């Protein structure tokens, strides 16, 4: 558990998370980049991303298993550019309670419609 961690730089490279990863009550003052990462269950709650946030070529969920939880960003604020380019969100996405200061890049991203709410699609539509 990484509670009350304060670090200038923290890198996790070549790791595999076999269960749910949850980021809660975190502030990221600098770059957050998860390029080509894969998670089956992922939830972000009450976090602030101040700088560039990258989920490019990210893969969330399990293709063909839409019974799993959707990827949820609950009360999250993205202050700078956020990139979901070519991401695959197999279990859907909940962006309804997200605050965006800049448009998010969803270019060529796949979002499964089964667990994705209407408000999330409205947000994605107006950003493209």
């Amino acid at each position: 558990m990484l509670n009350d961690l304060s670090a200038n730089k923290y890198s996790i490279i070549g790791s595999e998370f076999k269960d749910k990863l949850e980021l809660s009550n975190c502030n990221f003052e600098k770059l957050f980049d998860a390029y080509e990462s894969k998670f089956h269950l992922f939830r972000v709650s009450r976090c602030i991303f101040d700088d560039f946030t990258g989920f490019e070529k990210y893969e969330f969920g399990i293709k063909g298993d839409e019974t799993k939880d959707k990827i949820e960003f609950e009360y999250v604020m993205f202050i700078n550019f956020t990139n979901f380019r070519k991401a695959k969100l197999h279990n859907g996405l909940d962006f309804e309670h997200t605050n965006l200061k800049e448009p998010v890049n969803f270019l060529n991203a796949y979002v499964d419609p089964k667990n994705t709410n209407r408000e999330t699609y409205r947000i994605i539509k107006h950003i493209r």
Side-chain angles (χ1 to χ4, degrees):
M1 186 162 279
L2 300 173
N3 290 335
D4 299 318
L5 174 69
S6 179
N8 289 335
K9 182 178 181 180
Y10 191 78
S11 297
I12 301 173
I13 300 169
S15 298
E16 183 176 332
F17 297 91
K18 295 191 179 206
D19 205 345
K20 182 178 184 177
L21 175 66
E22 184 169 336
L23 301 173
S24 184
N25 297 319
C26 299
N27 293 335
F28 297 92
E29 294 178 5
K30 298 289 181 184
L31 171 80
F32 179 90
D33 192 6
Y35 182 80
E36 288 190 338
S37 296
K38 294 180 182 182
F39 290 99
H40 296 287
L41 298 172
F42 185 79
R43 184 172 187 267
V44 181
S45 175
R46 293 172 173 76
C47 294
I48 298 172
F49 295 87
D50 283 339
D51 204 345
F52 173 82
T53 306
F55 294 102
E56 185 166 348
K57 293 187 178 180
Y58 219 61
E59 192 164 350
F60 297 102
I62 302 168
K63 186 176 182 178
D65 185 6
E66 294 80 20
T67 60
K68 297 286 184 190
D69 294 334
K70 64 186 166 274
I71 306 310
E72 187 173 5
F73 290 87
E74 179 182 55
Y75 305 111
V76 173
M77 179 177 284
F78 294 105
I79 295 176
N80 210 318
F81 183 73
T82 304
N83 184 15
F84 279 88
R85 183 186 304 128
K86 296 183 181 179
K88 295 177 182 161
L89 298 111
H90 299 297
N91 296 7
L93 173 66
D94 187 343
F95 234 49
E96 184 173 4
H97 296 104
T98 302
N99 297 303
L100 307 169
K101 191 166 181 184
E102 303 255 338
V104 177
N105 183 355
F106 279 99
L107 184 65
N108 294 322
Y110 168 76
V111 180
D112 189 284
K114 287 190 173 112
N115 291 326
T116 303
N117 60 41
R118 180 180 226 156
E119 180 63 13
T120 298
Y121 276 119
R122 186 194 68 75
I123 291 167
I124 292 171
K125 176 184 173 188
H126 287 291
I127 324 182
R128 285 190 169 184

